[in-house]
Amino acid sequence: MFGITASSRLRPSPFYEATLAEGVTAFTTYNHMLMPTGFGQPQAEYWRLINGVSQWDVAVERQVQLQGPDAAKLAQILCTRDLSQCAVGQGKYVALCNHDGVLINDPILLKLDDDRYWLSIADSNIWFWARAIAAERGLRVTVSEPDVSPLAVQGPQAENVVASIFGDWVRGLKYFWFRNTEIAGIPVAVARSGWSKQGGFELYLMDGSKGTQLWNIVREAGKPWGIGPGNPNACERIETGLLSYGGDTDGSTNPFEVRMGKYVDLDIPDDVIGIQALRRIRREGVQRQQLGVLIDGDQPLEPGFHWHAIHHRGAKVGDLTNCVWSYRLQRNIGFGLVAIDCAAGDRVEVHRHGQPLPASLCALPFL
Ligand code: THG
């Protein structure tokens, strides 16, 4: 489309040089960094994730570290999920909300120690937020952004690749659990996680000067399984129903509207930010829900920047928040954020560039 002007505001990833060497063709911005979004072969990249193994520069998932005697307290104040049973070495998918119960990030929380946590964040400024809350509540905690950069290894063969590097113990890691280790003197935390439903791991690189070296270790180890470069894959994540904070959410979305209710514990202490609003929303009922949208027709649509209005019986009932050509379903699919009285099976129209496209609502995930 156009180029990107280099600037110190756009911090390079430790894997930037390695992705250039792999032939990266596109980036997006995320947490004031560049994230690769393609390597020129979208179909091959997709099928490699579905059938094989793929390695991704996801250093943009920055860690907000909470450290100090009140770190656990701050973590709980920020997260609308009960953390009291979270063990050292465990991770959890959590919703961060503001005082109105609006979702402001959906990180993975990692408990490194009783007094040290990471929030592995999606695309919003949680560093500011956590510092402000800690200061306002007088907590003894240091909030920082450590030198930590995740590299994802995703796909059905990811476990074989990661086990060949670190040993068979990785096969026993439970979902979102992690262990600190090193490879060739490079400090990493190995976690079973990642933004796909094809299985996989994330290697949290803890020395930003070793990005190319770690990338190449994974690349070499993955050769027997046909590893290649990839990135968080829009098609796969929409087919499998994974949420993109900021893409599928707006300035008033609460967790219940976007299928995150199961990660909200309403009986946590009253001082958790947003919990009182969430109790009220639960009591009064939500206005919107997330459903799948299957657009009629068998030609891929061009992706766009905006949400598209969804109409039902002549009235607007919500928005299509993303849209992608599904290689497995051979249809254009997306998520609808629609009124609570809409239901799977409803026939609707997506209004895109002034053109109404007939579509059907369905349950998520698609696959
Ligand atoms: N890896 C790391 N940090 C991240 C992401 C990541 N931070 C931002 C973003 N991605 C967080 N968002 C998600 C969303 C969904 C999942 C993971 C991260 C996910 N969800 C599963 C699901 O919805 O089915 C399982 C969740 C569960 O049951 O606990 O995996 O990718 N480091």
Side-chain angles (χ1 to χ4, degrees), residues 30 58 61 63 81 92-93 105-108 110 120-123 150 175-176 193-197 202 204 240-243 262-263:
Y30 195 105
V58 287
E61 286 152 359
Q63 311 310 302
R81 182 172 186 178
K92 279 177 184 281
Y93 182 42
N105 205 290
D106 69 331
I108 295 164
L110 296 89
S120 182
I121 60 170
D123 186 22
Y175 208 73
F176 288 142
S193 71
W195 205 55
S196 86
K197 295 295 259 184
E202 290 182 315
Y204 288 77
T240 61
L242 289 172
L243 180 73
K262 56 181 178 287
Y263 308 117

Side-chain angles (χ1 to χ4, degrees), residues 11-17 19 27-36 55-64 119-123 145-153 202-208 210-212 214-215 230-232:
R11 303 170 294 170
S13 154
F15 310 113
Y16 178 70
E17 300 295 337
T19 60
F27 289 97
T28 189
T29 67
Y30 195 105
N31 283 327
H32 309 285
M33 295 177 69
L34 297 176
M35 176 169 68
Q55 65 183 113
W56 309 349
D57 171 3
V58 287
V60 297
E61 286 152 359
R62 303 313 291 167
Q63 311 310 302
V64 175
L119 292 168
S120 182
I121 60 170
D123 186 22
E145 190 188 284
D147 175 7
V148 177
S149 302
L151 190 167
V153 187
E202 290 182 315
L203 315 181
Y204 288 77
L205 169 65
M206 293 187 274
D207 177 349
K210 303 279 170 57
T212 300
L214 182 64
W215 182 277
N231 56 275

Side-chain angles (χ1 to χ4, degrees), residues 22-298:
E22 296 279 3
V24 62
T25 54
F27 289 97
T28 189
T29 67
Y30 195 105
N31 283 327
H32 309 285
M33 295 177 69
L34 297 176
M35 176 169 68
T37 52
F39 293 82
Q41 298 177 308
Q43 285 221 40
E45 290 160 30
Y46 171 83
W47 289 113
R48 185 185 288 147
L49 168 62
I50 301 297
N51 296 325
V53 53
S54 173
Q55 65 183 113
W56 309 349
D57 171 3
V58 287
V60 297
E61 286 152 359
R62 303 313 291 167
Q63 311 310 302
V64 175
Q65 177 170 281
L66 319 176
Q67 181 162 30
D70 288 332
K73 199 168 171 187
L74 179 60
Q76 183 62 84
I77 286 170
L78 297 173
C79 298
T80 59
R81 182 172 186 178
D82 179 16
L83 302 179
S84 61
Q85 305 303 311
C86 188
V88 173
Q90 188 176 6
K92 279 177 184 281
Y93 182 42
V94 296
L96 306 196
C97 293
N98 70 13
H99 299 79
D100 299 323
V102 170
L103 188 67
I104 60 167
N105 205 290
D106 69 331
I108 295 164
L109 169 130
L110 296 89
K111 181 170 178 178
L112 293 127
D113 221 323
D114 287 324
D115 64 354
R116 192 158 70 100
Y117 291 76
W118 287 344
L119 292 168
S120 182
I121 60 170
D123 186 22
S124 73
N125 279 324
I126 295 308
W127 188 90
F128 280 158
W129 176 254
R131 275 213 165 177
I133 301 299
E136 292 287 320
R137 305 238 176 154
L139 299 178
R140 296 160 301 159
V141 57
T142 306
V143 178
S144 62
E145 190 188 284
D147 175 7
V148 177
S149 302
L151 190 167
V153 187
Q154 298 287 296
Q157 298 299 339
E159 186 174 298
N160 287 330
V161 175
V162 176
S164 78
I165 300 170
F166 295 98
D168 277 330
W169 63 266
V170 305
R171 300 185 192 275
L173 269 181
K174 287 183 283 187
Y175 208 73
F176 288 142
W177 287 66
F178 63 95
R179 192 198 281 182
N180 287 332
T181 182
E182 56 171 62
I183 180 70
I186 309 170
V188 291
V190 178
R192 189 186 289 277
S193 71
W195 205 55
S196 86
K197 295 295 259 184
Q198 308 312 312
F201 293 80
E202 290 182 315
L203 315 181
Y204 288 77
L205 169 65
M206 293 187 274
D207 177 349
S209 71
K210 303 279 170 57
T212 300
Q213 205 183 330
L214 182 64
W215 182 277
N216 288 334
I217 287 170
V218 174
R219 192 176 195 276
E220 284 305 309
K223 273 192 177 150
W225 292 279
I227 203 167
N231 56 275
N233 191 284
C235 177
E236 192 274 346
R237 78 94 180 172
I238 294 170
E239 290 176 335
T240 61
L242 289 172
L243 180 73
S244 174
Y245 168 78
D248 302 324
T249 64
D250 62 14
S252 62
T253 308
N254 67 61
F256 304 121
E257 294 176 320
V258 289
R259 298 173 296 126
M260 286 193 75
K262 56 181 178 287
Y263 308 117
V264 173
D265 294 308
L266 292 174
D267 56 357
I268 50 180
D270 291 349
D271 64 356
V272 173
I273 297 170
I275 202 66
Q276 311 206 38
L278 291 171
R279 288 176 193 149
R280 178 180 47 73
I281 293 166
R282 181 89 291 183
R283 205 167 52 239
E284 295 174 357
V286 291
Q287 304 299 312
R288 297 186 292 186
Q289 62 178 329
Q290 206 173 35
L291 288 175
V293 181
L294 266 166
I295 299 174
D296 293 3
D298 57 6

